[in-house]
Amino acid sequence: MISMLTIKNFGLIDSLSIDLSRGLTVLTGETGAGKSILIDGLRFCLGEKISASAVRDPNAPCRAELVIEISSGLIREYPPLEELTAGEDQLIINRTLLPDGKTKARINGLAVTLAQLKALGDHLMDFHGPHDHQMILSPEAHRGILDRLCAMDTNMAAYTQIYEQYMQLKHERQQLGELAATRRRDIEMLEHQIKELSAVPLDEEQYDLLIEQQTKLNNAEKLYEAAQQMLAAIERDDTGVSEGLASAFPHAKTLNRIDPATERFTRSLADIQDSVSVLAQELRGYLDSLSFEPEEAAQINRRCDLYYDIKRKYGPEIAHAAAYLEQTREKYERIVHAEENTRALDEKAAAAEIALRRSAAVLTKHRLKAGQALKRTIEQELKELGIQHVKFDCRIEKSGFTAAGADAVTFYISPNKGEDLKPLADIVSSGEAARLMLALKKALIEADPIPVLIFDEIDAQIGGRLGTVIGKKLKELSRNRQVIAITHLPQIASFADTHLKIVKKVAGERTVTHVERLDADGTLKELAQMMSGERETGIALDHARELVNMAKRQRHSAGAV
């Protein structure tokens, strides 16, 4: 439940903080005092947009903050709450609109996205205003409303699994159909691509080795000349390295005879001579390897050209071309064996469709049962709300397979005696829509886990005669959830557990909105003013007292707390 709402710089509100309680909270006050601004503040805090004109001072931030008590049941219903609450039983939601138009949102100090805020709001609060009433007139919403009464989570999960398999098979079958339409042309193109990509090994190491060979081939003359010069420098008769090393040995032996410690010089000289000899041998081998046969050179260049062409068409790297070859082969196999694959897919899809129909029939059975229960509840509730001769029906017709089954659900109603049942959107007035919404909330009270219900002008186009009934219904709804209602009818306000009066005052040169929490005497005076105008007459106070006493009796007889 909401325990506190704080709003700053919003509409007529400069700075306002309201403590809220369990049960039924009623907001009353003169038109234009700012009752709906409080609801707008709640909506803003949960992710809805506000216009720049709603900000009191455009040069200052507009802020709204909610403190919400969270139950363990709600956390089970919406698991993301567990992370947001971090073991606490309270959420503090803060949203700010900055002067530059940007918004910031935090939950328990953690920054959240607008999408996260809206998703959370959908599980915390249910708003019902003149615009929200239109939802129940839309057939698209009727199946969702009915399904909230159906205890069929397991059945829906089973249906969803089969439906996803069925849709995947249909998608694959459609792809095969599209392939068959251009089968011959595609086969020829794929065969050409496979042949082209298979002309050389699509291996990075082999490609790198071939490029090395081509580089050597294209620079053979330079390589040969350089290696030949190195070899000549080693083996030249008069000035070569080998000749120079050989001439050093007699001198080394002379050193050894006189000073034995110089024998290491001789050993080093021998090692150098061996190394030079090995180097010369390797250079001769290298020179021999540089002799390419014309046909071998041409073959290397042709293979390199093939690689360059493949990389240009299917690259940029050899690995990309290899992956493309694998995909092309798979596609080729699908097309070549299209008829065989088509028959297999058709058989699988037919089996899946049979299973899907059976699973959808189970959902239909649950909906038919829930539809009858909903019909009885809605008719009873609407009769108590003043539509005495109402008839209601939840019609379920077969439709194509969807993610939610194979049923089209439409609510039909006849509010007047002797009239045929027709779709809600065709005949329901705005006043009837408000009452129907209230009846639906009563019908869904056990199945709907949302802990806070907010009614903005639930009494639109409803006279005082029905106000008592609506007040009683709102009070019944508030037994196990928090209900906040804006009303102009004293009959509804008389059922409040908490009565807040929205007051518009002039402070300095500006008009501001304040909230007064009324005690018993304050409630009597407010109800009297709502009945008689600004003046509290004795008769009006007597009527107000009678309203409160009557509300208490009805609440007691209904078992309300």
Side-chain angles (χ1 to χ4, degrees):
M1 70 160 218
I2 304 171
S3 60
M4 180 178 289
L5 168 65
T6 300
I7 299 174
K8 294 182 179 181
N9 194 31
F10 192 6
L12 295 178
I13 298 172
D14 185 24
S15 180
L16 182 66
S17 187
I18 309 172
D19 291 320
L20 296 168
S21 306
R22 298 182 183 277
L24 175 60
T25 297
V26 166
L27 279 64
T28 63
E30 64 178 287
T31 300
K35 299 185 295 298
S36 293
I37 293 177
L38 297 177
I39 306 302
D40 291 339
L42 285 172
R43 289 182 182 269
F44 170 68
C45 211
L46 293 175
E48 292 201 15
K49 293 182 179 180
I50 59 170
S51 65
S53 61
V55 179
R56 184 175 178 85
D57 181 357
N59 297 315
C62 170
R63 291 193 174 93
E65 183 176 278
L66 273 176
V67 180
I68 301 176
E69 310 298 328
I70 301 297
S71 67
S72 57
L74 187 60
I75 293 176
R76 287 193 299 272
E77 190 70 31
Y78 187 56
L81 273 174
E82 187 168 4
E83 181 178 351
L84 291 171
T85 55
E88 301 290 334
D89 59 358
Q90 189 180 77
L91 281 181
I92 300 177
I93 303 173
N94 185 290
R95 189 167 181 224
T96 303
L97 174 63
L98 300 172
D100 61 4
K102 296 179 180 179
T103 61
K104 294 181 179 180
R106 293 184 178 276
I107 297 177
N108 284 7
L110 298 175
V112 294
T113 65
L114 191 60
Q116 288 176 299
L117 205 56
K118 287 183 176 180
L120 176 62
D122 289 341
H123 288 81
L124 290 178
M125 297 181 205
D126 206 350
F127 291 90
H128 300 287
H131 173 73
D132 301 294
H133 294 160
Q134 300 306 309
M135 181 197 72
I136 63 169
L137 305 182
S138 169
E140 287 75 19
H142 294 172
R143 184 171 61 196
I145 293 172
L146 181 63
D147 283 357
R148 286 155 74 176
L149 286 171
C150 301
M152 58 178 190
D153 289 350
T154 302
N155 302 112
M156 181 60 79
Y159 172 87
T160 299
Q161 183 178 7
I162 299 171
Y163 175 77
E164 289 175 352
Q165 294 172 351
Y166 175 71
M167 294 304 293
Q168 179 62 29
L169 289 169
K170 285 192 68 176
H171 176 68
E172 292 177 10
R173 179 64 179 83
Q174 181 182 356
Q175 283 186 318
L176 280 180
E178 293 171 354
L179 290 173
T182 57
R183 186 169 181 267
R184 174 44 48 196
R185 183 190 66 196
D186 289 344
I187 286 177
E188 292 176 356
M189 181 188 70
L190 293 171
E191 285 177 341
H192 170 74
Q193 291 178 336
I194 291 171
K195 182 179 179 181
E196 190 173 35
L197 287 162
S198 302
V200 290
L202 297 179
D203 180 85
E204 291 283 357
E205 290 185 4
Q206 293 192 44
Y207 169 72
D208 291 340
L209 181 60
L210 187 67
I211 294 303
E212 287 180 10
Q213 289 179 312
Q214 188 186 44
T215 302
K216 287 172 64 177
L217 176 66
N218 293 338
N219 295 276
E221 186 175 345
K222 290 181 180 180
L223 294 172
Y224 189 89
E225 182 180 353
Q228 185 64 45
Q229 290 294 329
M230 282 184 66
L231 186 60
I234 293 171
E235 296 183 332
R236 192 175 292 119
D237 290 342
D238 51 350
T239 59
V241 174
S242 296
E243 185 64 25
L245 288 171
S247 65
F249 273 97
H251 303 296
K253 289 180 179 179
T254 299
L255 288 172
N256 297 159
R257 284 194 301 269
I258 300 170
D259 184 1
T262 62
E263 288 182 0
R264 68 181 188 276
F265 298 155
T266 304
R267 289 194 297 272
S268 297
L269 189 62
D271 290 341
I272 294 170
Q273 189 177 45
D274 290 341
S275 296
V276 169
S277 178
V278 170
L279 175 59
Q281 185 178 355
E282 290 180 350
L283 281 170
R284 283 191 290 272
Y286 180 74
L287 285 168
D288 291 339
S289 73
L290 292 176
S291 58
F292 290 95
E293 293 294 332
E295 180 58 34
E296 181 185 1
Q299 185 179 13
I300 290 174
N301 282 323
R302 281 197 301 270
R303 287 168 65 83
C304 284
D305 289 342
L306 287 173
Y307 274 115
Y308 293 145
D309 200 36
I310 286 172
K311 289 181 69 177
R312 179 178 58 83
K313 292 182 179 179
Y314 309 104
E317 302 298 334
I318 295 297
H320 297 123
Y324 190 88
L325 174 60
E326 183 66 25
Q327 295 168 7
T328 303
R329 283 173 173 163
E330 291 176 0
K331 189 173 183 181
Y332 177 80
E333 289 297 319
R334 285 201 304 270
I335 295 178
V336 169
H337 301 96
E339 292 184 5
E340 179 183 337
N341 293 338
T342 297
R343 285 193 299 270
L345 276 176
D346 286 343
E347 290 173 2
K348 290 181 181 179
E353 184 172 345
I354 291 172
L356 194 62
R357 289 192 185 281
R358 289 174 180 167
S359 187
V362 174
L363 300 184
T364 302
K365 183 178 178 181
H366 280 281
R367 287 172 177 144
L368 287 169
K369 182 179 179 180
Q372 289 300 312
L374 182 62
K375 168 184 167 65
R376 291 190 295 270
T377 302
I378 293 297
E379 286 183 349
Q380 178 62 34
E381 292 294 331
L382 288 178
K383 285 175 182 178
E384 293 181 13
L385 288 167
I387 309 178
Q388 293 298 325
H389 303 290
V390 68
K391 290 183 180 179
F392 179 87
D393 194 18
C394 177
R395 295 187 180 177
I396 301 174
E397 299 175 349
K398 287 297 176 186
S399 68
F401 293 121
T402 70
D407 300 319
V409 179
T410 308
F411 294 161
Y412 280 71
I413 194 169
S414 170
N416 301 308
K417 190 173 184 178
E419 291 184 0
D420 294 333
L421 287 160
K422 294 181 181 178
L424 294 187
D426 293 350
I427 57 174
V428 169
S429 67
S430 60
E432 289 166 338
R435 283 179 279 179
L436 184 57
M437 176 63 80
L438 192 55
L440 280 171
K441 294 311 297 182
K442 281 296 304 293
L444 296 170
I445 192 168
E446 296 300 329
D448 196 341
I450 295 178
V452 182
L453 302 180
I454 299 172
F455 294 92
D456 188 359
E457 299 187 6
I458 187 67
D459 51 15
Q461 300 189 27
I462 293 174
R465 185 173 57 87
L466 291 174
T468 300
V469 178
I470 291 176
K472 181 181 177 182
K473 296 296 180 186
L474 290 174
K475 181 56 194 168
E476 290 172 1
L477 282 174
S478 72
R479 289 179 189 173
N480 54 4
R481 67 199 65 208
Q482 186 180 39
V483 177
I484 300 171
I486 292 177
T487 184
H488 298 284
L489 291 180
Q491 291 85 353
I492 293 177
S494 65
F495 282 86
D497 297 300
T498 302
H499 191 153
L500 302 177
K501 182 178 180 180
I502 314 302
V503 181
K504 183 169 61 176
K505 295 181 177 179
V506 176
E509 298 296 323
R510 301 204 68 178
T511 302
V512 294
T513 291
H514 292 279
V515 176
E516 297 177 0
R517 190 183 187 96
L518 302 182
D519 57 14
D521 289 339
T523 294
L524 286 177
K525 292 179 180 179
E526 174 65 5
L527 295 180
Q529 289 181 3
M530 292 170 73
M531 286 187 286
S532 63
E534 290 300 319
R535 296 181 60 192
E536 304 162 13
T537 65
I539 295 175
L541 283 170
D542 289 340
H543 286 169
R545 194 172 290 105
E546 178 57 28
L547 271 181
V548 171
N549 291 333
M550 184 172 62
K552 288 180 180 178
R553 289 194 299 270
Q554 293 206 24
R555 287 156 58 182
H556 180 73
S557 64
V561 293

